[in-house]
Amino acid sequence: MTDTPAWAVTLFTLYPDMFPGPLGQSLSGDALARGLWSLETRNIRDHGLGRHRAVDDTPAGGGPGMVIRADVLAASLDAGLSADDTRPRLLMSPRGKPLTQERVRSLSEGPGVVLICGRFEGVDERVIEARGLEEVSIGDYILSGGEIASIVLLDACVRLLPGVMGKLESGSEESFENGLLEYPHYTRPREWEGRTIPDVLLSGDHAKIARWRREQAEAITQTRRPDLLKR
Ligand code: SAH
């Protein structure tokens, strides 16, 4: 349907049935159906060991939980990826660099991504090193697995792919895109529960409206996220 190859996702997980999940709906689901991006899920357990297809083992040095084995994950990656694959290999991990809109945009401008979803306590450090995995976090809290984190990352990237969002300018004014949180929005009715829409927005003076929005964005960023202004 398009001349350019689809933005390609290969995703390694123990729970392939979680996909496409919410990504099969709405904007990302339509884009998937239209071939603007593609999603291949690979079950890490297909390379599990023994009769039970074991993928994890107890942590060296003791402690709670289980760790995904380096040999099992490496076998899964090696079977699923070709040597000349240039896509970034991202391991979802609370230890990773926090995901930002800037990174999302740069990922969406590339060929696609390889995502690896951790479970249990995480994965054996050696496979992270040996297969050049980059750890990415979606925030300072702990999820039970990397699947939902992957869905977050993919949702954020896919909406930026060419042809996915209706209006071309939609996206450029959003929170974070210019280092500011977004200005407040209003729509009809003009008066609701005694609250009115700021007069300036009904003035038809586009320069004045742009100035007002800019001031609002700065004020909101100043109170809520002063760290963004410092950057
Ligand atoms: N023991 C680990 C947490 C494991 S949580 C630690 O303390 O760092 C299990 C899996 O969920 C992780 O391997 C990772 O893939 C995923 N995960 C949990 N929180 C995440 C986050 N904030 N961002 C991205 N992935 C996360």
Side-chain angles (χ1 to χ4, degrees), residues 11-89:
L11 186 142
F12 295 81
T13 173
L14 288 167
Y15 298 95
D17 291 349
M18 288 193 184
F19 297 91
L23 297 172
Q25 306 280 318
S26 190
L27 213 63
S28 52
D30 294 341
L32 189 58
R34 284 158 60 212
L36 297 178
W37 67 292
S38 69
L39 176 62
E40 179 198 12
T41 51
R42 314 253 338 169
N43 192 341
I44 299 167
R45 198 168 295 283
D46 291 345
H47 293 268
L49 305 173
R51 205 156 49 88
H52 297 294
R53 298 237 162 256
V55 297
D56 56 337
D57 210 328
T58 55
M66 298 294 273
V67 176
I68 297 181
R69 293 175 57 117
D71 51 357
V72 171
L73 182 54
S76 177
L77 292 171
D78 295 347
L81 301 171
S82 64
D84 59 355
D85 197 319
T86 60
R87 292 174 295 171
R89 299 173 172 196

Side-chain angles (χ1 to χ4, degrees), residues 92-95 118-122 136-139 141-146 149:
M92 306 318 295
S93 160
R95 299 192 316 172
R119 278 273 154 182
F120 322 120
E121 290 306 317
V136 173
S137 167
I138 65 156
Y141 39 79
I142 307 294
L143 304 168
S144 47

Side-chain angles (χ1 to χ4, degrees), residues 90-166:
L90 310 179
L91 170 65
M92 306 318 295
S93 160
R95 299 192 316 172
K97 196 165 170 193
L99 188 64
T100 60
Q101 185 63 17
E102 195 183 357
R103 185 75 203 278
V104 162
R105 189 167 280 283
S106 97
L107 288 172
S108 75
E109 286 164 358
V113 284
V114 173
L115 297 178
I116 299 117
C117 304
R119 278 273 154 182
F120 322 120
E121 290 306 317
V123 311
D124 188 306
E125 189 73 19
R126 293 169 295 178
V127 67
I128 302 177
E129 296 164 7
R131 292 297 180 274
L133 309 185
E134 180 196 346
E135 293 177 73
V136 173
S137 167
I138 65 156
D140 291 346
Y141 39 79
I142 307 294
L143 304 168
S144 47
E147 288 76 14
I148 290 174
S150 293
I151 289 170
V152 168
L153 183 147
L154 292 175
D155 181 274
C157 289
V158 165
R159 61 191 288 286
L160 296 181
L161 297 176
V164 173
M165 268 191 291

